[in-house]
Amino acid sequence: MTRPHAGARDGSEIADALREVLPVLVAIVPFGMVFGALAIDAGLSAVEAMGFSAAIYAGASQLVILQLVALGTPLWSILVAVVALNFRHVLYSASLGRKLGRFTAGEKAMAFYLLVDPTFAAAEERAAHRPLTKRFYFAYAVTLYADWLAATYAGIVFGKLIGDQRAIGLDVLLPVYFLALTLGFRRRSGFLAVFATAALASVAVYLTLGSPWHVTLGGLAGILAAVVRAPAERTAP
């Protein structure tokens, strides 16, 4: 049996990444457009709005910052909110970093810069079945990044045509997609316990402390549940 040519394998990795990222590209376009439109309404220039998306690259945080600035919120409060909302990326990096053995230090830095929720889920799922290659990761991550920038620009130009995203149901696209990503891990040991713990903790924090603390504290509760289960799993016959 002949081995597949290296070029064929590389092409397959890229094709797999593009096929998996396609649904996400569709889902994030409305949100990128909403940010672009809101940024212009908030007084940012087109260059500033694009720079915002290019440098921060965190949709939820970008929208939160705009909302808090519009309300005249103090800078320290904005920083705390953004750190609380984005702390999950520290957890993402800690988990995914163990799968980047083939990446150089510079490639890891770029991989972490491009690391957002869908990229993390896709990379973890990929690594669960085969080695995570640079071609797969960067084909997925760079395509998603370019789509976010394009969606932001579309919002800057055509934002006024969107109207109220809640009225036409656009606000449910990403939550539904993220739920589908989460359920993709349902066959892993202990999934239900960790999922239920994180969900209940997140709801409780949302009802008491409010947003965005439910994201960080719910995630930490799920991690704690996984840590508590781990020793029992290691000692099981």
Side-chain angles (χ1 to χ4, degrees), residues 3 11 27 42 51 58 89 108 118 122 136 144 151 154-155 161 163 169-170 172 180 185-186 199-200 205 210 227 234:
R3 287 187 172 182
H89 290 279
K108 286 182 179 179
F136 177 89
L144 192 63
L161 301 178
L170 294 180
V172 304
F185 297 97
R186 65 187 181 279
L200 291 174
V205 173
V227 170
R234 285 197 296 266

Side-chain angles (χ1 to χ4, degrees), residues 28-54 62-63 66 146-163:
I28 70 171
V29 165
F31 292 91
M33 293 184 68
V34 167
F35 170 75
L38 291 178
I40 296 301
D41 288 343
L44 273 65
S45 68
V47 173
E48 290 170 337
M50 289 299 297
F52 208 144
S53 275
Q62 292 176 220
L63 292 171
L66 285 181
D147 185 61
W148 177 252
L149 295 181
T152 299
Y153 183 74
I156 293 171
V157 178
F158 305 109
K160 295 188 182 299
L161 301 178
I162 298 176

Side-chain angles (χ1 to χ4, degrees), residues 12-176:
S12 176
E13 290 287 307
I14 294 174
D16 287 349
L18 296 179
R19 183 172 57 253
E20 291 188 24
V21 78
L22 181 59
V24 193
L25 301 182
V26 177
I28 70 171
V29 165
F31 292 91
M33 293 184 68
V34 167
F35 170 75
L38 291 178
I40 296 301
D41 288 343
L44 273 65
S45 68
V47 173
E48 290 170 337
M50 289 299 297
F52 208 144
S53 275
I56 298 180
Y57 187 40
S61 293
Q62 292 176 220
L63 292 171
V64 166
I65 291 172
L66 285 181
Q67 292 170 356
L68 294 179
V69 169
L71 294 172
T73 306
L75 178 60
W76 68 267
S77 183
I78 296 175
L79 293 176
V80 169
V82 171
V83 169
L85 188 59
N86 279 347
F87 185 78
R88 68 191 188 281
H89 290 279
V90 176
L91 309 179
Y92 289 170
S93 301
S95 176
L96 192 61
R98 298 174 298 172
K99 284 90 170 178
L100 303 182
R102 301 183 177 188
F103 290 53
T104 66
E107 290 167 343
K108 286 182 179 179
M110 179 58 66
F112 289 144
Y113 178 75
L114 296 172
L115 184 58
V116 290
D117 300 290
T119 307
F120 169 75
E124 283 285 335
E125 178 65 17
R126 186 78 173 182
H129 300 94
R130 66 189 71 181
L132 180 61
T133 65
K134 302 173 187 178
R135 288 184 179 271
F136 177 89
Y137 186 92
F138 285 115
Y140 189 106
V142 172
T143 302
L144 192 63
Y145 181 66
D147 185 61
W148 177 252
L149 295 181
T152 299
Y153 183 74
I156 293 171
V157 178
F158 305 109
K160 295 188 182 299
L161 301 178
I162 298 176
D164 184 1
Q165 60 163 323
R166 297 178 184 271
I168 57 179
L170 294 180
D171 57 316
V172 304
L173 290 179
L174 276 187
V176 169

